[in-house]
Amino acid sequence: MSADLLAALRAAVGPAQVLTHDAPGADLSAWEQDWRKRAHGRALAVVRPGSTAEVAAVVRACAATGTAIVPQGGNTGLVVGSVPDDTGTQVLLSLSRLNAVRALDAANLTLTVEAGCVLQNLQDIAEKAGFLFPLSLAAEGSCTIGGNLATNAGGTQVLRYGNARDLCLGLEVVTAQGEVWHGLTGLRKDNTGYDLRDLFIGSEGTLGIITAATLKLYPLPAAQLTAWAAVPTLDAAVALLGLAHQHLGAGLTGFEVMGQFALGLVARHMPQLRVPLWQDSPYCVLLENSDSESEEHARGQFERLLETAFEQGWVSDAVVAESLAQAHGLWHIRESIPLAQAEEGLNIKHDISIPVSSIPAFCAETDALLQREIPGVRLVNFGHLGDGNLHYNVQAPAGADAKKFLNGQETRVNTLVFDAVARYHGSISAEHGVGSLKADHLPHYKDPVALGLMRAIKQALDPQHLMNPGRVLSP
Ligand SMILES: Cc1cc2nc3c(=O)[nH]c(=O)nc-3n(C[C@H](O)[C@H](O)[C@H](O)COP(=O)(O)OP(=O)(O)OC[C@H]3O[C@@H](n4cnc5c(N)ncnc54)[C@H](O)[C@@H]3O)c2cc1C
């Protein structure tokens, strides 16, 4: 059976684009291991189609033989969703060769691109044409727009521009049967029935393969200013966010919070980065003001905002970047937290969302709970406070064996954190998705009616359960 399938795959995409373990010197680990090194599977083959028609032919060949497909973009996902299991029976479908820009429509403010385009390249292409494509995340140099849409990625600009879902007007998708849905509309209004685009966005490859997308563009701001402020408490950070909304309006494009321990990890593992103001304050925040008028206008707004915040006691110290290079430096510190944390050792990651108003109470309660249950545990708390998303990560006590901690405590820590999230009416996955890591948790925390509808949709669109099986919905 697999010999016939491999022959069909080679016929579909060309022999050079079907990689198997039995080829001399073959090393497929780049596709088989996830970014966090939490899982290392074994694929029957890595298949790299170069066009939508080739993707469709691969899907049809797999459907005919009952072979499961795992789609992969940049393989930067954090929930083990883009690597094969260890059975050696699944086809790893890499979208990386589908990387053409199909059209830029300046008057319609849209960019139509293929799924394998790297996010940073799209930001650059938009900027060269005088536009902004605002999706922005620390993995942007490697992640692909197909992966961003499949996970409905968030990032640092969500409070102004929304998630990947909000930035997409149309999709081209290869269905589980190997048909092509041509949905690359650039329309902002189209009420002709169920929204299939929204069904595929965030489905993590479990309903079909995204092969291209039409994305929204925005005018480039005239100025972008960044400020870094030390805040005495999380309550003060939330109050500052409210004030920033009032003062900056739609100009407020970023509001990140970073706990002292998280910043301390950057200072320790990346001493070349000079982390400001972290030593004397439990939290720092990073604010971005994108102004359509001028830098002077943006600076004036920031000054008035910070003046009021100082008067209220919500900010104890602050710096405003003097140049774009300084602003990039501040963002680089924020974006280095996940890497610094990885340097410190394995940890238990949580990507949760809570209503912004409840975040201080949630953190106070859950910090205390974890400290009581696991004395000495270290909390790496940072995230997109502006949209209520925290990366509430839990690191082993200092000096403890990180691997042992992960193996021994992950289930318990997850239960403590997720139960607290549920008490605060939050979500156990804000932006990273469900993948394999959270599939077993979903039945405990998702509304049962919603879960039933999701299973019905899966059954209708992928009755053979061949599209990324075991992800999102556990068997
Ligand atoms: C340092 C770092 C920082 C990060 N920061 C953020 C952040 O701020 N916000 C955020 O949301 N995420 C973040 N992530 C997570 C990750 O970058 C995103 O989930 C990203 O959207 C994944 O894109 P990718 O191309 O790497 O997808 P992959 O990892 O390859 O795949 C992710 C999922 O999408 C599916 N998939 C991929 N391509 C397709 C396709 N064309 N059609 C159908 N299904 C597909 C895969 O099967 C898998 O289930 C971060 C990751 C890292 C390593």
Side-chain angles (χ1 to χ4, degrees):
M1 155 99 90
S2 67
D4 288 351
L5 173 63
L6 289 172
L9 294 173
R10 289 187 178 112
V13 299
Q17 305 304 341
V18 179
L19 315 178
T20 52
H21 282 280
D22 55 10
D27 178 9
L28 307 187
S29 52
W31 293 276
E32 292 176 332
Q33 178 163 274
D34 76 310
W35 191 86
R36 287 175 64 199
K37 301 189 172 57
R38 293 283 316 254
H40 194 136
R42 186 178 171 85
L44 173 69
V46 172
V47 182
R48 302 190 299 172
S51 68
T52 301
E54 289 186 6
V55 173
V58 169
V59 173
R60 284 195 299 273
C62 290
T65 52
T67 305
I69 297 177
V70 179
Q72 187 179 95
N75 199 16
T76 67
L78 298 175
V79 288
V80 188
S82 54
V83 291
D85 67 14
D86 57 10
T87 59
T89 60
Q90 299 186 323
V91 163
L92 189 292
L93 180 70
S94 167
L95 279 301
S96 61
R97 289 180 63 237
L98 252 75
N99 58 8
V101 172
R102 294 200 189 160
L104 192 154
D105 184 337
N108 201 42
L109 287 170
T110 52
L111 179 64
T112 298
V113 300
E114 293 184 345
C117 288
V118 170
L119 175 57
Q120 196 169 51
N121 294 344
L122 298 184
Q123 295 166 346
D124 292 347
I125 287 163
E127 190 174 341
K128 277 197 189 99
F131 298 104
L132 174 74
F133 180 59
L135 187 65
S136 178
L137 44 137
E140 62 201 21
S142 325
C143 64
T144 62
I145 193 66
N148 300 148
L149 290 165
T151 57
N152 186 26
T156 57
Q157 308 276 298
V158 171
L159 86 166
R160 166 69 177 89
Y161 299 102
N163 297 308
R165 181 189 303 286
D166 302 294
L167 297 169
C168 177
L169 293 171
L171 285 183
E172 180 185 88
V173 171
V174 171
T175 68
Q177 292 70 36
E179 291 178 318
V180 181
W181 169 44
H182 298 282
L184 284 178
T185 160
L187 301 176
R188 279 159 174 88
K189 287 186 164 181
D190 178 14
N191 281 349
T192 52
Y194 308 139
D195 196 329
L196 300 176
R197 176 198 58 188
D198 273 351
L199 206 52
F200 286 106
I201 294 175
S203 67
E204 300 181 45
T206 61
L207 300 179
I209 315 288
I210 297 170
T211 49
T214 298
L215 307 168
K216 281 188 200 168
L217 296 176
Y218 288 83
L220 272 175
Q224 241 168 340
L225 271 196
T226 304
W228 181 288
V231 294
T233 59
L234 265 182
D235 280 302
V238 170
L240 178 64
L241 172 64
L243 195 69
H245 276 302
Q246 274 173 23
H247 277 252
L248 309 179
L252 179 63
T253 45
F255 195 100
E256 301 286 305
V257 71
M258 299 155 286
Q260 190 175 44
F261 182 66
L263 290 174
L265 289 181
V266 178
R268 182 184 316 157
H269 294 290
M270 295 159 182
Q272 73 282 11
L273 301 180
R274 300 235 310 273
V275 184
L277 310 181
W278 69 278
Q279 266 150 323
D280 300 322
S281 193
Y283 287 96
C284 287
V285 298
L286 188 60
L287 301 91
E288 188 182 78
N289 182 15
S290 300
D291 196 284
S292 56
E293 273 188 54
S294 65
E295 185 175 328
E296 204 187 340
H297 184 250
R299 211 168 274 283
Q301 279 186 320
F302 252 167
E303 277 166 13
R304 285 188 293 281
L305 163 67
L306 290 172
E307 221 174 85
T308 314
F310 274 118
E311 278 165 20
Q312 297 287 344
W314 295 335
V315 165
S316 54
D317 204 349
V319 287
V320 179
E322 287 299 325
S323 63
L324 209 55
Q326 263 185 24
H328 285 157
L330 294 176
W331 275 105
H332 186 50
I333 293 168
R334 154 65 186 88
E335 284 168 357
S336 299
I337 295 174
L339 297 172
Q341 204 190 334
E343 287 288 315
E344 185 71 8
L346 289 169
N347 54 82
I348 304 172
K349 282 195 191 301
H350 301 109
D351 161 45
I352 54 175
S353 62
I354 307 281
V356 171
S357 49
S358 300
I359 281 180
F362 167 85
C363 289
E365 182 184 318
T366 316
D367 290 5
L369 179 68
L370 287 168
Q371 292 294 353
R372 207 168 50 237
E373 294 288 322
I374 311 167
V377 81
R378 297 173 299 165
L379 300 171
V380 188
N381 190 7
F382 65 99
H384 317 298
L385 183 65
D387 58 50
N389 177 190
L390 292 180
H391 298 306
Y392 190 84
N393 301 336
V394 182
Q395 199 110 28
D401 182 320
K403 201 165 185 181
K404 249 194 204 155
F405 174 74
L406 191 73
N407 291 337
Q409 299 285 9
E410 187 169 24
T411 308
R412 184 161 162 237
V413 168
N414 282 344
T415 304
L416 291 171
V417 173
F418 291 161
D419 284 355
V421 167
R423 282 196 297 279
Y424 280 87
H425 309 291
S427 166
I428 64 164
S429 176
E431 61 176 8
H432 294 162
V434 177
S436 313
L437 277 188
K438 293 181 192 159
D440 287 339
H441 294 290
L442 218 55
H444 299 288
Y445 299 104
K446 189 98 185 162
D447 177 271
V449 175
L451 206 60
L453 291 171
M454 282 167 62
R455 288 194 190 284
I457 290 167
K458 171 76 174 169
Q459 182 63 27
L461 268 63
D462 178 24
Q464 289 198 82
H465 290 243
L466 298 179
M467 308 304 293
N468 218 358
R471 272 70 201 250
V472 182
L473 295 168
S474 50

PDB file of all heavy atoms in Angstrom, residues 2-3 6 10 18-28 42-45:
ATOM      1  N   SER A   2       1.888   1.308   0.914  1.00  0.00           N
ATOM      2  CA  SER A   2       2.655   2.552   0.977  1.00  0.00           C
ATOM      3  C   SER A   2       3.507   2.734  -0.271  1.00  0.00           C
ATOM      4  O   SER A   2       3.777   3.859  -0.677  1.00  0.00           O
ATOM      5  CB  SER A   2       3.477   2.647   2.255  1.00  0.00           C
ATOM      6  OG  SER A   2       4.481   1.693   2.255  1.00  0.00           O
ATOM      7  N   ALA A   3       3.920   1.613  -0.911  1.00  0.00           N
ATOM      8  CA  ALA A   3       4.688   1.747  -2.160  1.00  0.00           C
ATOM      9  C   ALA A   3       3.814   2.391  -3.235  1.00  0.00           C
ATOM     10  O   ALA A   3       4.273   3.277  -3.973  1.00  0.00           O
ATOM     11  CB  ALA A   3       5.185   0.383  -2.623  1.00  0.00           C
ATOM     12  N   LEU A   6       3.412   6.081  -2.314  1.00  0.00           N
ATOM     13  CA  LEU A   6       4.627   6.857  -2.598  1.00  0.00           C
ATOM     14  C   LEU A   6       4.764   7.100  -4.101  1.00  0.00           C
ATOM     15  O   LEU A   6       5.151   8.192  -4.528  1.00  0.00           O
ATOM     16  CB  LEU A   6       5.864   6.144  -2.044  1.00  0.00           C
ATOM     17  CG  LEU A   6       5.977   6.150  -0.507  1.00  0.00           C
ATOM     18  CD1 LEU A   6       7.115   5.274  -0.024  1.00  0.00           C
ATOM     19  CD2 LEU A   6       6.152   7.578   0.020  1.00  0.00           C
ATOM     20  N   ARG A  10       4.875  10.733  -5.776  1.00  0.00           N
ATOM     21  CA  ARG A  10       5.979  11.159  -6.660  1.00  0.00           C
ATOM     22  C   ARG A  10       5.423  11.623  -8.004  1.00  0.00           C
ATOM     23  O   ARG A  10       5.909  12.600  -8.578  1.00  0.00           O
ATOM     24  CB  ARG A  10       6.982  10.009  -6.847  1.00  0.00           C
ATOM     25  CG  ARG A  10       7.771   9.749  -5.572  1.00  0.00           C
ATOM     26  CD  ARG A  10       8.902   8.733  -5.752  1.00  0.00           C
ATOM     27  NE  ARG A  10       9.604   8.599  -4.483  1.00  0.00           N
ATOM     28  CZ  ARG A  10       9.600   7.513  -3.710  1.00  0.00           C
ATOM     29  NH1 ARG A  10       8.950   6.418  -4.094  1.00  0.00           N
ATOM     30  NH2 ARG A  10      10.250   7.500  -2.564  1.00  0.00           N
ATOM     31  N   VAL A  18       9.486  14.350  -2.714  1.00  0.00           N
ATOM     32  CA  VAL A  18       8.974  13.344  -1.771  1.00  0.00           C
ATOM     33  C   VAL A  18      10.181  12.789  -1.024  1.00  0.00           C
ATOM     34  O   VAL A  18      11.004  12.065  -1.593  1.00  0.00           O
ATOM     35  CB  VAL A  18       8.221  12.207  -2.504  1.00  0.00           C
ATOM     36  CG1 VAL A  18       7.719  11.164  -1.509  1.00  0.00           C
ATOM     37  CG2 VAL A  18       7.050  12.778  -3.309  1.00  0.00           C
ATOM     38  N   LEU A  19      10.310  13.148   0.237  1.00  0.00           N
ATOM     39  CA  LEU A  19      11.497  12.761   1.012  1.00  0.00           C
ATOM     40  C   LEU A  19      11.121  11.605   1.942  1.00  0.00           C
ATOM     41  O   LEU A  19      10.122  11.690   2.662  1.00  0.00           O
ATOM     42  CB  LEU A  19      12.002  13.939   1.843  1.00  0.00           C
ATOM     43  CG  LEU A  19      12.081  15.294   1.132  1.00  0.00           C
ATOM     44  CD1 LEU A  19      12.556  16.381   2.091  1.00  0.00           C
ATOM     45  CD2 LEU A  19      13.015  15.221  -0.068  1.00  0.00           C
ATOM     46  N   THR A  20      11.927  10.554   1.917  1.00  0.00           N
ATOM     47  CA  THR A  20      11.630   9.394   2.778  1.00  0.00           C
ATOM     48  C   THR A  20      12.881   9.001   3.561  1.00  0.00           C
ATOM     49  O   THR A  20      14.001   9.360   3.204  1.00  0.00           O
ATOM     50  CB  THR A  20      11.164   8.185   1.936  1.00  0.00           C
ATOM     51  OG1 THR A  20      12.141   7.970   0.922  1.00  0.00           O
ATOM     52  CG2 THR A  20       9.821   8.419   1.301  1.00  0.00           C
ATOM     53  N   HIS A  21      12.653   8.217   4.623  1.00  0.00           N
ATOM     54  CA  HIS A  21      13.776   7.836   5.493  1.00  0.00           C
ATOM     55  C   HIS A  21      14.763   6.899   4.806  1.00  0.00           C
ATOM     56  O   HIS A  21      15.923   6.846   5.194  1.00  0.00           O
ATOM     57  CB  HIS A  21      13.242   7.164   6.763  1.00  0.00           C
ATOM     58  CG  HIS A  21      12.713   8.162   7.749  1.00  0.00           C
ATOM     59  ND1 HIS A  21      13.526   8.885   8.577  1.00  0.00           N
ATOM     60  CD2 HIS A  21      11.454   8.575   8.022  1.00  0.00           C
ATOM     61  CE1 HIS A  21      12.805   9.695   9.322  1.00  0.00           C
ATOM     62  NE2 HIS A  21      11.530   9.532   8.998  1.00  0.00           N
ATOM     63  N   ASP A  22      14.278   6.144   3.807  1.00  0.00           N
ATOM     64  CA  ASP A  22      15.195   5.146   3.231  1.00  0.00           C
ATOM     65  C   ASP A  22      16.168   5.742   2.210  1.00  0.00           C
ATOM     66  O   ASP A  22      17.071   5.061   1.742  1.00  0.00           O
ATOM     67  CB  ASP A  22      14.414   3.963   2.640  1.00  0.00           C
ATOM     68  CG  ASP A  22      13.381   4.425   1.620  1.00  0.00           C
ATOM     69  OD1 ASP A  22      13.424   5.621   1.248  1.00  0.00           O
ATOM     70  OD2 ASP A  22      12.532   3.604   1.217  1.00  0.00           O
ATOM     71  N   ALA A  23      16.028   7.046   1.903  1.00  0.00           N
ATOM     72  CA  ALA A  23      16.996   7.664   0.974  1.00  0.00           C
ATOM     73  C   ALA A  23      18.341   7.789   1.700  1.00  0.00           C
ATOM     74  O   ALA A  23      18.373   8.071   2.901  1.00  0.00           O
ATOM     75  CB  ALA A  23      16.504   9.043   0.555  1.00  0.00           C
ATOM     76  N   PRO A  24      19.473   7.568   0.970  1.00  0.00           N
ATOM     77  CA  PRO A  24      20.782   7.649   1.629  1.00  0.00           C
ATOM     78  C   PRO A  24      20.985   9.016   2.290  1.00  0.00           C
ATOM     79  O   PRO A  24      20.725  10.047   1.670  1.00  0.00           O
ATOM     80  CB  PRO A  24      21.780   7.447   0.470  1.00  0.00           C
ATOM     81  CG  PRO A  24      20.978   6.982  -0.701  1.00  0.00           C
ATOM     82  CD  PRO A  24      19.541   7.285  -0.457  1.00  0.00           C
ATOM     83  N   GLY A  25      21.424   9.000   3.547  1.00  0.00           N
ATOM     84  CA  GLY A  25      21.718  10.246   4.278  1.00  0.00           C
ATOM     85  C   GLY A  25      20.495  11.050   4.656  1.00  0.00           C
ATOM     86  O   GLY A  25      20.626  12.213   5.064  1.00  0.00           O
ATOM     87  N   ALA A  26      19.295  10.459   4.530  1.00  0.00           N
ATOM     88  CA  ALA A  26      18.074  11.235   4.801  1.00  0.00           C
ATOM     89  C   ALA A  26      17.999  11.662   6.261  1.00  0.00           C
ATOM     90  O   ALA A  26      18.265  10.873   7.161  1.00  0.00           O
ATOM     91  CB  ALA A  26      16.847  10.396   4.466  1.00  0.00           C
ATOM     92  N   ASP A  27      17.670  12.923   6.496  1.00  0.00           N
ATOM     93  CA  ASP A  27      17.441  13.415   7.852  1.00  0.00           C
ATOM     94  C   ASP A  27      16.195  14.297   7.817  1.00  0.00           C
ATOM     95  O   ASP A  27      16.229  15.426   7.323  1.00  0.00           O
ATOM     96  CB  ASP A  27      18.655  14.220   8.336  1.00  0.00           C
ATOM     97  CG  ASP A  27      18.419  14.795   9.732  1.00  0.00           C
ATOM     98  OD1 ASP A  27      17.397  14.429  10.365  1.00  0.00           O
ATOM     99  OD2 ASP A  27      19.240  15.608  10.185  1.00  0.00           O
ATOM    100  N   LEU A  28      15.099  13.765   8.304  1.00  0.00           N
ATOM    101  CA  LEU A  28      13.822  14.485   8.218  1.00  0.00           C
ATOM    102  C   LEU A  28      13.485  15.177   9.539  1.00  0.00           C
ATOM    103  O   LEU A  28      12.358  15.629   9.743  1.00  0.00           O
ATOM    104  CB  LEU A  28      12.694  13.515   7.839  1.00  0.00           C
ATOM    105  CG  LEU A  28      12.904  12.657   6.578  1.00  0.00           C
ATOM    106  CD1 LEU A  28      11.630  11.877   6.243  1.00  0.00           C
ATOM    107  CD2 LEU A  28      13.316  13.508   5.390  1.00  0.00           C
ATOM    108  N   ARG A  42       7.666  10.330  13.340  1.00  0.00           N
ATOM    109  CA  ARG A  42       8.307   9.717  12.176  1.00  0.00           C
ATOM    110  C   ARG A  42       7.288   9.714  11.041  1.00  0.00           C
ATOM    111  O   ARG A  42       6.203   9.118  11.167  1.00  0.00           O
ATOM    112  CB  ARG A  42       8.751   8.296  12.513  1.00  0.00           C
ATOM    113  CG  ARG A  42       9.560   7.650  11.398  1.00  0.00           C
ATOM    114  CD  ARG A  42      10.016   6.262  11.815  1.00  0.00           C
ATOM    115  NE  ARG A  42      10.614   5.566  10.674  1.00  0.00           N
ATOM    116  CZ  ARG A  42      11.883   5.687  10.314  1.00  0.00           C
ATOM    117  NH1 ARG A  42      12.699   6.469  10.976  1.00  0.00           N
ATOM    118  NH2 ARG A  42      12.346   5.019   9.257  1.00  0.00           N
ATOM    119  N   ALA A  43       7.623  10.396   9.953  1.00  0.00           N
ATOM    120  CA  ALA A  43       6.688  10.490   8.826  1.00  0.00           C
ATOM    121  C   ALA A  43       6.904   9.340   7.849  1.00  0.00           C
ATOM    122  O   ALA A  43       8.021   8.834   7.713  1.00  0.00           O
ATOM    123  CB  ALA A  43       6.901  11.819   8.100  1.00  0.00           C
ATOM    124  N   LEU A  44       5.828   8.958   7.164  1.00  0.00           N
ATOM    125  CA  LEU A  44       5.989   8.034   6.033  1.00  0.00           C
ATOM    126  C   LEU A  44       6.802   8.749   4.962  1.00  0.00           C
ATOM    127  O   LEU A  44       7.713   8.171   4.355  1.00  0.00           O
ATOM    128  CB  LEU A  44       4.604   7.667   5.491  1.00  0.00           C
ATOM    129  CG  LEU A  44       4.583   6.847   4.202  1.00  0.00           C
ATOM    130  CD1 LEU A  44       5.116   5.448   4.462  1.00  0.00           C
ATOM    131  CD2 LEU A  44       3.167   6.774   3.629  1.00  0.00           C
ATOM    132  N   ALA A  45       6.465  10.010   4.743  1.00  0.00           N
ATOM    133  CA  ALA A  45       7.202  10.831   3.771  1.00  0.00           C
ATOM    134  C   ALA A  45       6.933  12.297   4.059  1.00  0.00           C
ATOM    135  O   ALA A  45       5.887  12.649   4.599  1.00  0.00           O
ATOM    136  CB  ALA A  45       6.737  10.501   2.353  1.00  0.00           C
TER     137      ALA A  45
END
